Amino acid sequence: IISPATAPWFGTARPAGFLRAAQTVDRIRSNAPDKVRVVNGAWPSEEAQRNAALQLAATLLPRPTHLLLVDGDEFWHPVELDRALALVYQASQTRRISWVRATMATYFKTVRFVVDPPEPLKILWLVEVPLHHTPVTCGFSEA
């Protein structure tokens, strides 16, 4: 599920940014048309946008167990993502995993400049998909 916003949560819209985002989504969709679901919308907050994606995921068949949340300005190295998912899978064998947060590196304008010391913020990157018609409670500020 890709849910690009048609309007920013805060501030003024930047048409060039939306055009680049639309082009990227089109490239992803063209590479896997039967695996990608695109839902465009205007949400008042990041929390609302995430909850909309979770509600949609709950209606898919087969229903996914979790939703990977990656903002447009975030990226995962494939090896790091594989390791993180393996850790989550291993933990899920003995307990329920409702959500996962992780530390992150913050970059300044390019991947060559890493902010040091690291920011204390931990990103919410994996959330359990609720059963269909179950209230969604992915509170960004509370997770």
Side-chain angles (χ1 to χ4, degrees), residues 57-97:
T59 67
L60 298 176
L61 294 174
R63 186 180 70 81
T65 59
H66 290 80
L67 188 64
L68 181 68
L69 304 168
V70 182
D71 289 350
D73 63 347
E74 297 171 353
F75 65 92
W76 280 84
H77 187 283
V79 173
E80 290 177 357
L81 181 59
D82 284 347
R83 287 178 183 161
L85 290 171
L87 286 171
V88 170
Y89 176 76
Q90 184 179 17
S92 73
Q93 300 306 296
T94 58
R95 63 186 182 273
R96 178 179 172 201
I97 306 296

Side-chain angles (χ1 to χ4, degrees), residues 7-57:
W9 302 315
F10 308 104
T12 306
R14 295 170 47 194
F18 286 115
L19 177 60
R20 283 193 304 275
Q23 291 168 338
T24 300
V25 169
D26 287 343
R27 279 195 301 270
I28 293 168
R29 188 182 354 209
S30 68
N31 287 329
D34 54 338
K35 293 184 177 185
V36 175
R37 179 102 179 250
V38 178
V39 179
N40 293 298
W43 297 276
S45 66
E46 184 171 5
E47 181 178 336
Q49 186 171 359
R50 287 180 175 194
N51 286 338
L54 280 168
Q55 289 171 345
L56 176 61

